[in-house]
């Protein structure tokens, strides 16, 4: 199922022999010689035990971190050597990041948090807040727009974080355990949103510990100790 | 990021720490308030003093003997060095219309009938002082120079007349208690139309003044030139016949003072005997006021500096506290410039906020000082504008380094920051 559509254009994300090493006393190989290609519009899940390098992988694609070796390309552009300013552009326009730990601004309301990425894209205030409210509606938080993160439950914060990742309408969505802190019902709702995004043509890279969640993707990348242990194609009928 | 949004975000973070922000801005508030207070006072003093001199006719040359540098007050400390001989010689110079000596007679009290008013001094001068002056009532006293008996007459200013119940008026008999308990009985012959000081050297304002002829004057010395005992005055006004000749008269008088005069010999070593025109004196006063203003402004600048350091310090703390927020903003697309702008605007708000608070406090302080000194208020409006500018500059300067260090925060480290 992969490959035929995307062969003409560069892949959405391409990692070529990427390593990320931390040298604090004993060197830690968070990622070790990883090569991976995500076609446009593909839906990939990353699984692996704690500390296997899943978040590190997402940080590299999201231009938050730089590889110690190898190249990371987003939409055909090598982001590992980009200037700071260009990296900020990739973070603001190309990718939407849902963090494992939400990372919401404590002093801003839900709608202001969601609108924040648009502030840095020079979108007018009225339009920003309108789009933010629209997205909060879509994640089922239309009645919580004026709440601060401290006034929201964990699952609600997670949904605000997802709304914020989607507000710039990014081609690539990076989600680090978006269902890790929520009940099954909310989890189902979040996964439904990701399905919708996939159906709309967005490229999705999702980290999860739950096999059932991973099965909704097209492929599952299994990480262990910073290396790719294997890539499983999910049975198309089973996933649909 | 647009300016409105950075203002909104900065204002919100300041509101998150109201007390801290207020204490931070206090240094700026004090600095700006001090600058405005003292500049207002300086401008008011200058306007008042210079205005008085501008009112006095341009054809006058003032003779004073003052401590030998140009920093001292122009006349208050003048020593009695000008003898009758000097006054007579100068009166004969080309271009001189008249010469008016002036001195003070120490007194303890003045009384009319049973009413007594305590006064520590009255003024001795010649009727020439009153030549171009209007009287409300009566006129000048008689000239005492002809060697006849001393005229027992006195002229007074309106405020001096008002010291006595029901006012002094022409014909009232007043007895003056002088040094050594001697009494002098005089008759009031004139009340001036207004209180303006007739001689800028004697000071300004509406101080009550009593004028007696010079024959009542009691400070005498042996003239080095003539060898006789004669009156010696601390202040002399030379009036040129023609305003155009004032400078020439000044030169002539100064030459005389430097060479043949009694004054040159009587003046203590470190004293300077000088002939000054209105312009000279205005310039000197302006210099004194300017130097004072500069000095005080210097102190205020130090206060602003302390304020700036306070802002820089708080901003650095704030950058540290908000490391995680900076990481979040960068993770969702903020450039280094956006972050820099955000923190710079916050420092700027603190600086300008402090200045805006400092201006009214400074104006109030200036008003109090000016009222206390009984001067009309002159507001240096340029400085009120400049204060806001200073607040802006202080904000930017003190925010620059903290904002720069915020901009450099690495997003991945910042997101991990707890
Ligand atoms: N800043 C750092 N300094 C040193 N080691 C680090 C640092 N960040 C991550 N690591 C190490 O890199 C490895 C991979 O970390 P990563 O966060 O990618 O794990 P993960 O797969 O996301 O785990 P989890 O499922 O618990 O979130 C871990 O062993 C971790 O200790
Ligand atoms: Mg992780």
């Amino acid at each position: 199922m992969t490959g035929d559509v995307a062969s003409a254009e560069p892949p959405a994300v391409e990692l070529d022999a990427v390593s990320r090493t931390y040298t604090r006393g004993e060197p830690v190989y968070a990622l070790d010689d990883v090569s991976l290609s995500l076609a446009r519009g593909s839906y990939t899940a990353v699984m692996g035990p704690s500390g296997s390098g899943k978040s590190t992988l997402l940080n590299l694609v999201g231009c938050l971190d730089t590889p110690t070796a190898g190249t990371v390309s987003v939409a055909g552009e090598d982001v590992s050597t980009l200037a700071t300013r260009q990296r900020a552009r990739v973070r603001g326009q190309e990718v939407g990041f849902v963090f494992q730990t939400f990372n919401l601004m404590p002093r801003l309301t839900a709608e202001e948090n969601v609108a924040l990425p648009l502030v840095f894209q020079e979108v007018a205030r009225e339009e920003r807040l309108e789009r933010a409210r629209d997205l909060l509606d879509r994640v089922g938080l239309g009645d919580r727009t004026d709440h601060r993160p401290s006034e929201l439950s964990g699952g609600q914060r997670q949904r605000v974080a997802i709304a914020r990742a989607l507000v710039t309408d990014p081609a690539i969505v990076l989600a680090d355990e978006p269902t890790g802190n929520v009940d099954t019902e909310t989890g189902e709702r979040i996964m439904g949103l990701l399905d919708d995004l996939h159906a709309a043509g967005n490229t999705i890279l999702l980290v999860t510990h739950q096999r059932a969640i991973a099965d909704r993707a097209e492929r599952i990348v299994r990480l262990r100790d910073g290396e790719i242990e294997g890539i499983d194609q999910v049975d198309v009928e089973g996933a649909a | 990021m647009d300016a409105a949004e950075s203002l909104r975000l900065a204002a919100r973070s300041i509101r998150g720490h109201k007390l801290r922000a207020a204490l931070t801005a206090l240094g700026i508030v004090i600095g700006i308030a001090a600058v405005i207070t003292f500049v207002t006072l300086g401008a008011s003093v200058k306007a008042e003093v210079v205005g008085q001199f501008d009112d006095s006719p341009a054809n006058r040359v003032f003779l004073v003997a003052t401590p030998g540098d140009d920093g001292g007050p122009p006349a208050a400390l003048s020593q009695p060095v000008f003898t009758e001989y000097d006054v007579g010689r100068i009166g004969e110079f080309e271009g001189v219309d008249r010469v008016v000596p002036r001195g003070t007679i120490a007194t303890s009290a003045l009384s009319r009938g049973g009413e007594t008013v305590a006064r520590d001094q009255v003024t001795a001068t010649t009727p020439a002082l009153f030549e171009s002056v209007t009287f409300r009532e009566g006129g000048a006293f008689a000239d005492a120079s002809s060697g006849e008996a001393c005229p027992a007459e006195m002229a007074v200013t309106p405020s001096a007349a008002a010291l006595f119940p029901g006012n002094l008026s022409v014909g009232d008999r007043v007895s003056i208690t002088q040094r050594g308990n001697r009494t002098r009985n005089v008759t009031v012959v004139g009340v001036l139309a207004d209180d303006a000081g007739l001689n800028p050297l004697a000071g300004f304002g509406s101080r009550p003044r009593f004028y007696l002829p010079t024959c009542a004057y009691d400070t005498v010395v042996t003239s080095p030139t003539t060898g006789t005992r004669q009156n010696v005055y601390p202040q002399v006004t030379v009036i040129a016949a023609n305003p155009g000749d004032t400078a020439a008269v000044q030169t002539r008088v100064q030459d005389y003072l430097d060479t043949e005069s009694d004054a040159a010999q009587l003046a203590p070593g470190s004293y300077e005997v000088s002939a000054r025109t209105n312009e000279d004196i205005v310039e000197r006063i302006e210099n004194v006021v300017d130097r004072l203003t500069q000095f005080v402004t210097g102190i205020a600048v130090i206060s602003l500096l302390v304020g700036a350091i306070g802002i820089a310090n708080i901003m650095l703390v704030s950058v540290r506290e908000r490391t995680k927020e900076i990481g979040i903003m960068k993770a969702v697309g903020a450039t280094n410039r956006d972050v820099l702008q955000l923190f710079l605007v916050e420092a700027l708000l603190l600086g300008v906020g402090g200045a805006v608070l400092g201006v009214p406090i400074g104006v109030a302080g200036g008003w109090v000082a000016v009222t206390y000194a009984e001067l009309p208020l002159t507001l240096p409006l340029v400085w009120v504008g400049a204060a806001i500018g200073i607040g802006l500059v202080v904000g930017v300067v003190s925010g620059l380094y903290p904002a720069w260090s915020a901009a450099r925060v690495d997003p991945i480290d910042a997101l991990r920051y707890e």
Side-chain angles (χ1 to χ4, degrees):
Chain A
M1 151 130 205
T2 54
D4 0 309
V5 194
S7 53
E9 293 182 40
V13 174
E14 176 132 53
L15 285 83
D16 184 22
V18 169
S19 295
R20 179 68 174 97
T21 316
Y22 292 104
T23 43
R24 178 159 303 172
E26 279 285 290
V28 177
Y29 302 96
L31 276 185
D32 190 8
D33 197 25
V34 167
S35 295
L36 180 68
S37 179
L38 306 185
R40 277 168 195 259
S42 64
Y43 190 168
T44 310
V46 182
M47 293 194 76
S50 183
S52 57
K54 306 183 293 296
S55 294
T56 305
L57 176 70
L58 253 60
N59 289 340
L60 287 171
V61 175
C63 267
L64 289 171
D65 203 358
T66 39
T68 30
T71 58
V72 179
S73 302
V74 174
E77 184 177 32
D78 180 2
V79 297
S80 37
T81 56
L82 278 184
T84 341
R85 199 182 169 76
Q86 297 305 318
R87 294 170 64 78
R89 176 183 54 77
V90 173
R91 291 196 289 262
Q93 295 175 2
E94 311 282 338
V95 301
F97 212 122
V98 183
F99 296 96
Q100 196 171 0
T101 51
F102 317 143
N103 287 337
L104 299 176
M105 300 281 275
R107 271 195 296 269
L108 301 187
T109 63
E111 74 178 359
E112 285 169 330
N113 261 294
V114 174
L116 189 64
L118 298 177
V119 167
F120 305 114
Q121 304 304 324
E122 314 289 345
V123 176
R125 180 172 167 84
E126 274 320 301
E127 191 186 340
R128 287 200 298 262
L129 294 178
E130 199 174 308
R131 276 168 73 176
R133 280 192 288 268
D134 186 44
L135 270 156
L136 282 171
D137 265 341
R138 273 175 63 191
V139 298
L141 287 177
D143 55 343
R144 292 284 189 277
T145 53
D146 290 333
H147 288 233
R148 277 164 220 279
S150 58
E151 300 157 357
L152 295 170
S153 75
Q156 287 169 335
R157 281 182 228 180
Q158 183 67 282
R159 282 183 279 162
V160 173
I162 291 170
R164 183 181 64 187
L166 302 184
V167 77
T168 54
D169 196 14
I172 303 162
V173 176
L174 308 170
D176 201 346
E177 294 195 42
T179 57
N181 299 284
V182 298
D183 60 282
T184 29
E185 194 187 324
T186 313
E188 186 50 46
R189 184 170 204 154
I190 289 169
M191 290 319 293
L193 264 166
L194 290 179
D195 286 343
D196 291 348
L197 286 169
H198 178 223
N202 296 63
T203 309
I204 296 170
L205 185 59
L206 166 85
V207 169
T208 183
H209 281 292
Q210 295 157 273
R211 182 77 209 191
I213 300 279
D215 278 342
R216 299 175 74 138
E218 297 164 340
R219 288 194 304 171
I220 300 174
V221 175
R222 281 183 286 109
L223 280 181
R224 181 172 293 275
D225 296 335
E227 292 179 54
I228 295 182
E229 196 181 35
I231 300 182
D232 305 334
Q233 295 294 329
V234 176
D235 177 16
V236 184
E237 269 112 273
Chain B
M1 177 170 37
D2 57 284
E5 189 61 26
S6 51
L7 264 175
R8 192 174 293 122
L9 286 172
R12 182 169 315 197
S13 93
I14 287 175
R15 256 183 283 130
H17 299 280
K18 282 199 199 70
L19 182 63
R20 189 164 91 177
L23 290 176
T24 305
L26 201 60
I28 306 297
V29 174
I30 292 171
I32 294 283
V35 172
I36 300 279
T37 297
F38 289 106
V39 171
T40 301
L41 186 59
S44 300
V45 167
K46 210 149 90 176
E48 168 74 359
V49 170
V50 172
Q52 293 264 13
F53 272 91
D54 285 347
D55 287 348
S56 95
N59 60 345
R60 294 179 180 213
V61 176
F62 306 100
L63 313 189
V64 288
T66 48
D69 66 72
D70 60 358
L77 297 174
S78 190
Q79 290 289 306
V81 298
F82 305 101
T83 60
E84 288 288 1
Y85 170 77
D86 285 341
V87 172
R89 281 289 303 272
I90 293 167
E92 284 156 21
F93 285 177
E94 195 191 331
V96 173
D97 176 47
R98 56 191 203 276
V99 182
V100 182
R102 185 183 177 112
T104 56
I105 304 170
T107 59
S108 54
L110 280 73
S111 54
R112 178 185 67 180
E115 306 139 8
T116 301
V117 172
R119 296 302 297 172
D120 62 353
Q121 62 170 58
V122 298
T123 306
T125 188
T126 61
L129 177 70
F130 306 111
E131 244 168 58
S132 51
V133 171
T134 49
F135 280 85
R136 184 172 80 191
E137 197 185 347
F141 41 72
D143 195 350
S145 58
S146 48
E148 296 156 23
C150 191
E153 297 177 345
M154 177 168 72
V156 298
T157 58
S159 63
L163 290 175
F164 287 87
N167 268 351
L168 277 181
S169 48
V170 171
D172 284 357
R173 295 191 57 80
V174 175
S175 89
I176 302 167
T177 311
Q178 280 177 246
R179 212 160 24 197
N181 253 349
R182 283 182 296 124
T183 50
R184 175 182 295 274
N185 293 309
V186 295
T187 308
V188 177
V189 293
V191 181
L192 292 165
D194 63 59
D195 265 295
L198 293 178
N199 177 349
L201 297 185
F204 295 98
S206 37
R207 241 196 297 163
R209 285 175 210 288
F210 299 87
Y211 294 101
L212 291 181
T214 49
C215 55
Y217 190 54
D218 53 2
T219 305
V220 290
V221 75
T222 305
S223 159
T225 316
T226 66
T228 55
R229 300 281 287 168
Q230 37 183 261
N231 283 354
V232 62
Y233 304 99
Q235 296 162 10
V236 174
T237 307
V238 179
I239 295 140
N242 178 348
D245 294 339
T246 314
V249 167
Q250 180 195 15
T251 315
R252 240 165 265 152
V253 172
Q254 185 70 60
D255 276 352
Y256 169 75
L257 290 179
D258 290 344
T259 54
E260 314 158 45
S261 68
D262 281 352
Q265 296 172 66
L266 291 172
S270 63
Y271 275 58
E272 188 191 1
V273 180
S274 55
R276 297 172 188 164
T277 59
N278 275 349
E279 269 173 57
D280 293 343
I281 293 173
V282 166
E283 203 173 300
R284 270 155 199 264
I285 293 174
E286 281 185 334
N287 275 345
V288 171
V289 172
D290 282 350
R291 226 179 295 170
L292 205 75
T293 309
Q294 278 164 16
F295 173 71
V296 174
T297 309
I299 293 175
V301 165
I302 293 174
S303 160
L304 284 175
L305 209 69
V306 172
I309 294 170
I311 291 186
N313 183 34
I314 284 300
M315 290 303 298
L316 281 173
V317 171
S318 175
V319 168
R320 176 67 63 85
E321 280 178 353
R322 280 147 66 197
T323 301
K324 179 127 190 184
E325 289 182 36
I326 296 168
I328 296 171
M329 289 193 287
K330 285 194 158 189
V332 300
T335 59
N336 288 5
R337 202 174 151 275
D338 290 329
V339 176
L340 186 93
Q341 181 179 332
L342 204 57
F343 280 85
L344 215 49
V345 165
E346 191 174 328
L348 213 119
L349 278 183
L350 287 173
V352 173
V356 166
L357 271 177
V359 167
I361 295 175
V363 169
W367 180 78
V368 167
V370 163
T371 308
Y372 184 74
E374 293 182 355
L375 295 167
L377 180 69
T378 304
L379 258 191
L381 281 177
V382 189
W383 272 92
V384 173
I388 309 296
I390 291 171
L392 223 100
V393 170
V394 166
V396 169
V397 168
S398 55
L400 219 47
Y401 174 72
W404 178 75
S405 64
R408 277 184 346 140
V409 164
D410 183 50
I412 191 78
D413 289 344
L415 286 174
R416 286 209 187 92
Y417 192 92
E418 289 306 328

